[in-house]
Amino acid sequence: MTALGSLSVELTLEIKQEILAILDEILSLRGRAAGFNERTPLLGAIPELDSMAVVALITTLEERFGFSVEDDEIDGATFATVGSMIEFVKGKLAA
Amino acid sequence: MIQREAFFLLADTGRRFCLYYPPQVPEEKGAVLYIHPFAEEMNKSRRMAALQSCALAAAGYGVLQIDLNGCGDSSGDFGDASWDSWVEDVVNACDWLRERSSAPLWLWGLRAGCLLAVNAAVNLKNRPNFLFWQPALAGKPLLQQFLRLKLAAELIENEDKQGAKALRQQLARGESIELAGYRLSPQMTRGLEEADLQILPHAGRIEWLEISPHAEPTLAPASIKRLEQWQAAGVPVSGQVVSGPSFWQTSEIEEVPALIQVTLDVLVRPPAS
């Protein structure tokens, strides 16, 4: 149980790093994403996150994590915070 | 400052805006046609295309950029353009280069532009070389990505989720769709959806370049697979990856200087025997 717990912590951290790197790249944040945490609000809070950027984010998540996303799997809550994006990716990877 | 010539190339359905960067050395090393990517990606990539064109011209290449039917400063409406009319534009632009120069021809595509290059090559008299920047392996995912703009807009506006389903139904009925300021005809979406990055047996050299944001970048697994298939079939292709942002989709206009340098390096390099 402990081993599984720590593995999942590591995986979460890895996913978080990758998501922050993707956000920084796609939204041209110039390193600002390094200061984000799980509670950092995204959709509606970051002006750069327009519809083109949302599409670029979904596509980049698919490419980097190697899964494909159907329309009905995502809603506004998916991109609400950094934490909700991490949870979404974890769910996709576990599926 | 590299000199440029702006002109309109006549087509059956209007005129296409072109920019020509003449080679800056007496002996031309190659004639290069730049084929831009799809919809908004074209605008995001303008700067990188201009920087690369200048660098190539300085290194002795003549570079032609064409705004395809209904794009940029060309005549026609994006919504009336078909995939086939774009392929025709590419062939016409190649003919223009051929009349002007006998140097080796390079079709330089970015993303969807690579698919157009491959489609157009079938109709060329001489076999061209290909320079691919972040090639789309097929048009289908590109169309899916574009249709996703609908869903993204709904998420942002907090509207009921309709997604791409209604748009696909409209296309199936033979109607045009409108999305993010672009009207798309069924003739465009059909052609895009059928496009596939398959190389003809008589292709010249192929240089495949990708961009990855990682400090130690690697080619995408799907690209490695395609490259290996071609190499096994005897196609003279080599792939390389550089570090940098995906400039065709970033919020701000980004530059990838490493890509410009690597592009020069691979073009001047003698073909592997």
Side-chain angles (χ1 to χ4, degrees), chain A residues 18 25-28 30 43 48-56 58-60 62-64 69-76 79, chain B residues 40 111 134 144-146 148-149 151-153 155-156 161-165 180 182 213-214 244-246 249-254:
Chain A
E18 186 67 33
E25 181 204 357
I26 300 298
L27 304 178
S28 303
R30 314 261 183 262
L43 203 62
E48 288 90 346
L49 196 52
D50 59 11
S51 56
M52 300 262 175
V54 168
V55 172
I58 300 171
T59 311
T60 311
E62 288 182 323
E63 284 170 4
R64 304 275 166 79
V69 177
E70 297 297 326
D71 276 9
D72 55 12
E73 290 178 294
I74 33 181
D75 50 35
F79 297 98
Chain B
E40 205 49 35
R111 307 262 296 146
Q134 199 75 18
Q144 192 194 5
Q145 203 179 314
F146 188 79
R148 224 177 232 167
L149 283 168
L151 174 73
L155 295 189
I156 288 170
K161 243 172 49 175
Q162 305 286 328
K165 211 167 150 196
Y182 290 91
H214 293 285
S246 46
Q249 61 175 3
T250 49
S251 293
E252 303 284 332
I253 302 300
E254 305 277 1

Side-chain angles (χ1 to χ4, degrees), chain B residues 25 38 52 54 86 109 146 157 163 181 208 210 212 215 217 259 263 266:
Chain B
V25 296
F38 192 70
Q52 185 70 68
C54 287
W86 284 1
F146 188 79
E157 299 301 327
W208 176 307
E210 279 184 16
S212 157
L259 181 62
T263 298
V266 296

Side-chain angles (χ1 to χ4, degrees), chain B:
Chain B
M1 187 65 199
I2 300 280
Q3 69 176 102
R4 298 182 305 180
E5 300 164 15
F7 65 97
F8 283 100
L9 191 64
L10 290 180
D12 288 345
T13 52
R15 43 187 215 164
R16 310 285 175 258
F17 180 75
C18 289
L19 262 185
Y20 182 63
Y21 300 71
Q24 302 297 300
V25 296
E27 199 178 326
E28 186 173 0
K29 291 197 185 109
V32 183
L33 176 69
Y34 170 68
I35 309 162
H36 63 70
F38 192 70
E40 205 49 35
E41 291 186 357
M42 174 202 186
N43 296 324
K44 301 263 187 188
S45 313
R46 239 179 244 282
R47 181 158 178 80
M48 276 298 287
L51 289 173
Q52 185 70 68
S53 299
C54 287
L56 282 169
Y61 292 82
V63 184
L64 181 65
Q65 296 185 349
I66 181 170
D67 288 357
L68 300 170
N69 187 11
C71 299
D73 294 313
S74 285
S75 70
D77 188 274
F78 193 92
D80 296 327
S82 67
W83 183 261
D84 290 345
S85 74
W86 284 1
V87 172
E88 221 167 279
D89 283 349
V90 172
V91 173
N92 286 340
C94 286
D95 288 345
W96 185 89
L97 275 172
R98 279 282 73 121
E99 276 168 29
R100 189 160 180 135
S101 154
S102 56
L105 179 66
W106 284 88
L107 298 184
W108 161 31
L110 170 59
R111 307 262 296 146
C114 303
L115 297 169
L116 287 165
V118 166
N119 279 175
V122 184
N123 302 325
L124 296 179
K125 288 176 207 83
N126 304 89
R127 62 178 200 176
N129 302 300
F130 296 94
L131 167 65
F132 293 153
W133 271 12
Q134 199 75 18
L137 299 183
K140 212 172 174 169
L142 283 185
L143 178 64
Q144 192 194 5
Q145 203 179 314
F146 188 79
L147 296 181
R148 224 177 232 167
L149 283 168
K150 170 92 172 140
L151 174 73
E154 288 163 354
L155 295 189
I156 288 170
E157 299 301 327
N158 220 356
E159 285 171 9
D160 277 352
K161 243 172 49 175
Q162 305 286 328
K165 211 167 150 196
L167 297 176
R168 287 202 180 269
Q169 286 166 349
Q170 248 175 291
L171 287 168
R173 286 198 299 269
E175 297 166 16
S176 292
I177 55 167
E178 199 155 345
L179 196 51
Y182 290 91
R183 193 161 60 83
L184 257 70
S185 69
Q187 291 75 22
M188 175 58 76
T189 55
R190 202 179 309 128
L192 176 62
E193 213 163 13
E194 285 169 4
D196 189 26
L197 200 69
Q198 291 301 340
I199 285 297
L200 323 157
H202 68 280
R205 269 171 68 194
I206 305 168
E207 297 293 346
W208 176 307
L209 300 178
E210 279 184 16
I211 301 93
S212 157
H214 293 285
E216 288 171 23
T218 49
L219 287 164
S223 306
I224 294 173
K225 206 172 145 194
R226 186 70 57 100
L227 284 164
E228 283 173 353
Q229 280 170 358
W230 288 355
Q231 280 159 351
V235 178
V237 59
S238 62
Q240 227 172 304
V241 57
V242 300
S243 234
S246 46
F247 59 87
W248 58 91
Q249 61 175 3
T250 49
S251 293
E252 303 284 332
I253 302 300
E254 305 277 1
E255 292 178 17
V256 185
L259 181 62
I260 292 173
Q261 189 53 50
V262 167
T263 298
L264 289 176
D265 293 346
V266 296
L267 254 60
V268 298
R269 165 174 88 196
S273 52

